């Protein structure tokens, strides 16, 4: 896939270099500054609030499709579909199929991994009344099992 440059003003304003300076140059498909500023990332203040946004997505889906057993099953199936897209994007990013060559980037793989995560979190809403709390408790459980604990201290 050729390197593409995202020139939309809206998107441009949402990206910064690793040192926190605004990237106004646009970026390549692999999220590298088009003018040599190195890797870029989305500015934290532009990130949507994760759980309220997921709740809004669930409301939107419930309104359109209902929330019966069939719909719940399809949301679980969607997880399998998205997992397949991760595999496909990775194979395409490393050019595993000689006939096709490189058809994807690592950004595509990252996007698909995000799709898996958000699809799982949407489906989680069908099974527990407090998905955010349930996820936090599960994360604490898994991390405690291996003795890992994130520090909440600010690093300068
Ligand atoms: Mg996807
Ligand atoms: Zn830049």
């Amino acid at each position: 896939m050729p390197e593409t440059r995202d020139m939309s003003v809206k998107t441009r304003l949402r990206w910064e270099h690793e040192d926190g300076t605004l990237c106004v140059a646009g970026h390549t498909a692999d999220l590298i500054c088009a003018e040599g500023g190195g890797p870029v990332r989305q500015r934290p203040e532009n990130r949507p609030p994760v759980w309220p946004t997921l709740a809004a997505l669930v409301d939107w889906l419930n309104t359109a499709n209902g929330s019966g057993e069939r719909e719940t099953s399809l949301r679980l199936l969607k997880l399998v579909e998205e997992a397949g897209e991760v595999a496909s994007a990775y194979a395409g990013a490393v050019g595993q199929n000689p006939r096709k060559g490189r058809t994807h980037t690592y950004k595509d793989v990252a996007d698909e991994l995000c799709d898996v995560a958000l699809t799982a979190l949407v489906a989680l809403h069908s099974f527990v009344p407090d998905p955010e709390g349930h996820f936090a408790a599960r994360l604490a459980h898994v991390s405690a099992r291996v003795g890992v604990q994130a520090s909440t201290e600010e690093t300068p």
Side-chain angles (χ1 to χ4, degrees):
M1 180 178 282
E3 290 192 339
T4 53
R5 211 171 141 162
D6 191 333
M7 295 306 290
S8 86
V9 171
K10 186 164 171 259
T11 302
R12 216 167 61 191
L13 291 175
R14 295 167 62 208
W15 299 86
E16 66 183 18
H17 305 122
E18 281 185 318
D19 65 1
T21 58
L22 189 67
C23 180
V24 292
H27 56 79
T28 66
D30 278 327
L31 302 185
I32 304 296
C33 170
E35 289 180 1
V40 294
R41 63 188 175 204
Q42 229 172 2
R43 301 206 109 176
E45 66 269 26
N46 294 125
R47 294 175 193 159
V50 173
W51 289 98
T53 305
L54 288 168
L57 278 173
V58 170
D59 283 345
W60 171 76
L61 269 178
N62 289 349
T63 301
N65 297 346
S67 55
E69 287 297 336
R70 180 176 177 275
E71 176 63 18
T72 298
S73 303
L74 288 169
R75 289 180 199 179
L76 296 174
L77 267 183
K78 178 80 177 163
L79 202 46
V80 180
E81 178 189 335
E82 293 296 348
E85 289 176 8
V86 171
S88 175
Y90 183 72
V94 298
Q96 190 263 342
N97 185 332
R99 183 177 58 79
K100 292 181 181 171
R102 287 181 196 270
T103 55
H104 291 71
T105 65
Y106 279 0
K107 178 187 177 294
D108 296 323
V109 179
D111 285 346
E112 296 304 344
L113 285 169
C114 292
D115 286 357
V116 169
L118 76 86
T119 300
L121 294 177
V122 163
L124 178 61
H125 284 67
S126 300
F127 295 92
V128 288
D130 175 21
E132 180 175 0
H134 197 96
F135 182 78
R138 186 64 185 170
L139 186 59
H141 172 77
V142 170
S143 54
R145 213 162 47 189
V146 295
V148 166
Q149 193 182 8
S151 169
T152 51
E153 283 171 40
E154 293 284 319
T155 46

